[in-house]
């Protein structure tokens, strides 16, 4: 299989606080994980590419100091939304690509998403 | 500038018939194309993909066709089933890059 989990599935936080979202590949190793954001009735937009053991690369318009990404191991990447504001409220989805061993491919497998609401 | 376009926001198909979802792209550097199925408040589920060196890939009821010269791909689902009702996203990338998604097509399968 290729299962990706995210935690938490939903979170409500107050403006100005920070929130950490975890993304785990449960049954495969992923040297590369991706973070996407989806606003209501919009498409998924790539925010950043998370590489194990190195700095994340961010898409144009995404503030790296606001969205901190850490890819600490081959199965875990975290996204921390710092000093969250209501406009950061969105559906955050991670994906992982099986990059080594049997079945290495370009398909990305997505987590179930995290609904962030900033009040 | 939308590099991946799905021009039909919704599509209604009768159960048992063929569903055809279309996707156009503008970036000729894309070399890999994927289709995902998504329900509200859930992550996308991978359906099928195709490399730019191929023009067809089939997996069960799902077939993806790629026309590179027209920068167009389509997903065929046959026969369509009620459980196929969902939003379908077309996505593309180059090499190991992150995906660029279209806006999605809401497929409704009518009994």
């Amino acid at each position: 299989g290729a299962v990706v989990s995210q935690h938490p599935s939903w979170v409500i936080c107050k403006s100005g606080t920070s929130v950490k979202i975890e993304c785990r590949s449960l049954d495969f190793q992923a040297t590369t994980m991706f973070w996407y954001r989806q606003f209501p009735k919009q498409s998924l937009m790539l925010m950043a590419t998370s590489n194990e053991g190195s700095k994340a690369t961010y898409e144009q318009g995404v503030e790296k100091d606001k969205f901190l990404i850490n890819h600490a191991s081959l199965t875990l990447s975290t996204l921390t939304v710092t000093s969250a504001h209501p406009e950061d409220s969105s559906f955050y989805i991670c994906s992982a690509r099986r990059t080594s061993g049997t079945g290495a491919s370009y398909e990305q497998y997505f987590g179930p998403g995290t609904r962030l609401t900033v009040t | 500038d939308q590099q991946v376009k799905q021009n039909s926001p919704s599509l209604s198909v009768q159960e048992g018939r063929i569903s055809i979802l279309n996707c156009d792209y503008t970036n000729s550097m894309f070399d890999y194309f994927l289709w995902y199925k998504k329900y509200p408040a859930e992550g996308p589920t991978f359906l099928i993909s195709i490399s730019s060196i191929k023009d067809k890939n089939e997996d069960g009821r799902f077939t993806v066709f790629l026309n590179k010269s027209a920068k167009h791909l389509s997903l065929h689902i046959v026969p369509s089933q009620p459980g196929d009702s969902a939003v379908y996203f077309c996505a593309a990338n180059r090499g190991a890059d992150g995906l660029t998604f279209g806006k999605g097509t809401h497929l409704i399968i009518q009994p």
Side-chain angles (χ1 to χ4, degrees):
Chain A
V3 181
V4 178
S5 71
Q6 273 184 250
H7 178 80
S9 56
W10 62 271
V11 58
I12 301 173
C13 71
K14 291 186 176 181
S15 186
T17 61
S18 295
V19 174
K20 180 186 283 188
I21 303 170
E22 291 185 350
C23 177
R24 294 181 186 272
S25 56
L26 297 185
D27 51 3
F28 66 99
Q29 293 184 334
T31 55
T32 303
M33 293 183 173
F34 302 90
W35 287 95
Y36 297 81
R37 178 169 54 184
Q38 185 183 27
F39 291 107
K41 297 186 179 180
Q42 298 289 317
S43 184
L44 287 80
M45 299 296 293
L46 178 66
M47 297 175 66
T49 301
S50 171
N51 300 296
E52 189 266 339
S54 64
K55 290 183 179 180
T57 54
Y58 292 80
E59 295 300 300
Q60 192 173 9
V62 178
E63 300 175 56
K64 63 179 181 179
D65 294 329
K66 181 171 187 59
F67 298 100
L68 301 179
I69 291 173
N70 187 309
H71 197 143
S73 74
L74 288 173
T75 59
L76 173 64
S77 175
T78 60
L79 168 69
T80 301
V81 183
T82 63
S83 187
H85 290 282
E87 57 265 30
D88 298 323
S89 298
S90 186
F91 192 56
Y92 292 86
I93 311 173
C94 73
S95 73
R97 188 165 64 87
R98 193 197 303 265
T99 50
S100 62
T102 303
S105 69
Y106 287 112
E107 281 92 24
Q108 292 183 24
Y109 299 92
F110 285 81
T114 297
R115 170 72 59 194
L116 170 64
T117 302
V118 184
T119 61
Chain B
D1 176 32
Q2 191 138 18
Q3 298 186 60
V4 177
K5 300 177 184 178
Q6 293 176 258
N7 292 319
S8 298
S10 66
L11 174 68
S12 185
V13 174
Q14 203 165 10
E15 181 180 357
R17 299 287 184 98
I18 182 171
S19 295
I20 301 176
L21 297 102
N22 293 303
C23 178
D24 297 291
Y25 63 96
T26 58
N27 188 342
S28 58
M29 300 299 289
F30 287 142
D31 57 12
Y32 207 70
F33 304 90
L34 308 91
W35 284 94
Y36 287 87
K37 177 181 179 181
K38 187 180 183 299
Y39 296 109
E42 292 184 10
T45 300
F46 170 74
L47 285 176
I48 192 168
S49 62
I50 187 167
S51 163
S52 61
I53 63 173
K54 295 185 176 181
D55 55 18
K56 178 182 175 181
N57 188 26
E58 192 172 352
D59 184 2
R61 296 187 299 117
F62 303 95
T63 303
V64 56
F65 295 92
L66 175 63
N67 182 333
K68 278 190 68 178
S69 61
K71 293 191 176 69
H72 177 84
L73 64 153
S74 60
L75 173 68
H76 293 212
I77 306 173
V78 56
S80 300
Q81 300 174 353
D84 296 331
S85 295
V87 178
Y88 288 78
F89 285 95
C90 170
N93 71 350
R94 180 181 65 179
D97 290 351
L99 295 171
T100 300
F101 282 85
K103 289 191 173 182
T105 296
H106 186 192
L107 176 64
I108 302 163
I109 305 301
Q110 296 183 334

